[in-house]
Each structure stands twice: as structure tokens, then as C-alpha cells.
Amino acid sequence: MEGDKANGASSGGGVVLLNCFVSPFGNRVRIALKLKGVAYEEKAENLAAKSPLLLSSNPVHGQVPVLIVGGKPVCESLVILEFIDDAFSAAGKPPLLPADPYARAHARFWASYVDTKLNAAGMRVWRAPKGAAAAVEEAKKDAVAALKTLEAELGGKPYFGGDALGYVDVALVPFAPWFLTYERFGGFTVAGECPALAAWADRCVKENVCVAESLPEAEHVFQFVCGMRKAFGLD
């Protein structure tokens, strides 16, 4: 996969993204690269049989995403977003993070919240063994609570970044294709619980080509998860 014309830090070597198509973390990086107009090559990873390149590029965790720029790997999706914001700033594209130190810290807090609260609860929803109704219910409550907290933070703004896509938007919107999976295993709907957040997710896709081109279909995510559940012996 390739973005627009490369610039800045990529001039000394290629830009390569190691990713899995359903990974919300890797798809954050896709969005940021496209938003900045950075050309890149994407190498698909099979997380059941990780490539030598992935294991050597991220020897600590062995996880996607990894962004390799000029042969140098950068790991962890939120770290990669900030790297992209700094390294590819010469193209005149809008920054992901605001310039004000307090606003930057505020954005970092909410991006971290997505990972520590929403992602953690969402994983518990779909990874609960078949028949574990109490565990699913508890996970659903935590997922809905996280979604409602994020909706409250969004408030009446079109985007978390204000009038345009920003750091928190890029951190959160790759989870939108996972909402269907949370709903089917958790027995709720995001639109029913958090209508403003559901509308925000739709807005992100409809108004931003970089988002629309970077996210998988929700049904594909669900089918992928069903396959993982079988592999894990959960069904």
C-alpha cells in the first residue's frame, strides 16, 4: 500500500509499515501517514507466524505496528503517531498534536485512555468463553462506560481535535470497525448507548479520505475475531 508523495524523513530511505489489516493500532499509523501525504510500503503480518523482520524490528513485544524509516524501526502506535507528526512536518500538513503544552498533554491523556480502558474492555467482551454470561456482562458495562466517557469528552465538537481530525481522533477511530464485534458479543449497540460518538465515527469516515482508505470493513473484523475465538478454543 502506498500513500502520496513522500517527504521529510523518508528521503534517506523507504518508509515501511508492518501491520495486520484488522489492527486498530496499525491502522492509526495508516491514517497518520496518509494524512501527512507520506508514501509508504505496507507489509502484512501473520500474527500467528510472525516474520523475522517483525521480530527483529520489535524484539521486546513482537507486535504490530512497526514503522521502519530509513532502516530504523519505531514501535508502539502512539509513539509512532508522535514520530510521524515530528518527522513529516515539512509538507505543510496540519499537525496531529496541538502546539500548546497543556493541550498536548490533554490529548495524550485521552489517547492513552482509549488503550487502557476501551481496548481493554472491548477485548474482554469478545474474548469471554462461550457461556460466560457474567464475564460478558461485566466487560460490556466497562466498554459502555468507556465509550460514554469518550463521548462526554467529545462534547459538542465535531472532532476531539476541534474542527478537524487530531491526535485523539486518529487514536480512537480505528476502533470504530470493532464496534460491531463488541455489539454482537456484548449484546448492545454503540449508536443506542452513545449516539454522538457513533455520529462522530461516521463523520470521520465521510469527511476524511485518510480514514476511509485506512479502515477495514466491520464485518471483516467480526469474521476475523470469530476465527481467533475458534483458534483460542473459546467457542
Side-chain angles (χ1 to χ4, degrees), residues 21-108:
F21 83 102
V22 297
S23 170
F25 307 103
N27 292 334
R28 287 171 172 171
V29 181
R30 273 183 170 179
I31 293 170
L33 290 170
K34 289 179 180 293
L35 184 63
K36 295 286 187 175
V38 180
Y40 67 99
E41 175 188 0
E42 181 166 341
K43 294 189 176 181
E45 286 289 337
N46 178 352
L47 300 184
K50 299 175 182 180
S51 73
L53 180 59
L54 175 59
L55 295 174
S56 63
S57 300
N58 189 356
V60 175
H61 299 297
Q63 296 176 340
V64 297
V66 177
L67 187 69
I68 304 173
V69 180
K72 298 178 180 180
V74 184
C75 304
E76 301 295 324
S77 63
L78 295 180
V79 174
I80 296 171
L81 291 189
E82 295 200 39
F83 171 82
I84 291 171
D85 213 22
D86 292 337
F88 299 101
S89 60
K93 301 290 185 178
L96 289 172
L97 279 162
D100 176 71
Y102 177 79
R104 289 171 71 90
H106 190 78
R108 289 188 181 108

Side-chain angles (χ1 to χ4, degrees), residues 114-150:
V114 172
D115 289 358
T116 58
K117 296 298 184 179
L118 176 60
N119 178 56
M123 286 186 65
R124 285 167 46 220
V125 169
W126 68 260
R127 293 192 69 161
K130 186 175 182 180
V136 172
E137 184 63 22
E138 187 66 26
K140 180 187 80 171
K141 287 180 181 178
D142 290 345
V144 170
L147 289 165
K148 287 182 177 292
T149 299
L150 287 162

Side-chain angles (χ1 to χ4, degrees), residues 124-230:
R124 285 167 46 220
V125 169
W126 68 260
R127 293 192 69 161
K130 186 175 182 180
V136 172
E137 184 63 22
E138 187 66 26
K140 180 187 80 171
K141 287 180 181 178
D142 290 345
V144 170
L147 289 165
K148 287 182 177 292
T149 299
L150 287 162
E151 184 177 58
E153 170 59 20
L154 176 65
K157 304 186 299 292
Y159 296 98
F160 287 89
D163 293 327
L165 204 70
Y167 184 73
V168 180
D169 301 285
V170 174
L172 176 58
V173 76
F175 285 90
W178 284 79
F179 288 173
L180 179 67
T181 295
Y182 301 161
E183 291 170 345
R184 288 181 176 174
F185 285 106
F188 71 100
T189 68
V190 173
E193 298 285 351
C194 303
L197 193 66
W200 161 86
D202 289 341
R203 185 181 308 117
C204 285
V205 173
K206 291 176 181 176
E207 296 184 357
N208 299 276
V209 174
C210 62
V211 176
E213 292 182 346
S214 299
L215 302 184
E217 294 291 334
E219 186 64 37
H220 293 169
V221 173
F222 176 72
Q223 294 302 327
F224 184 88
V225 167
C226 288
M228 285 196 294
R229 285 181 58 85
K230 288 181 180 179

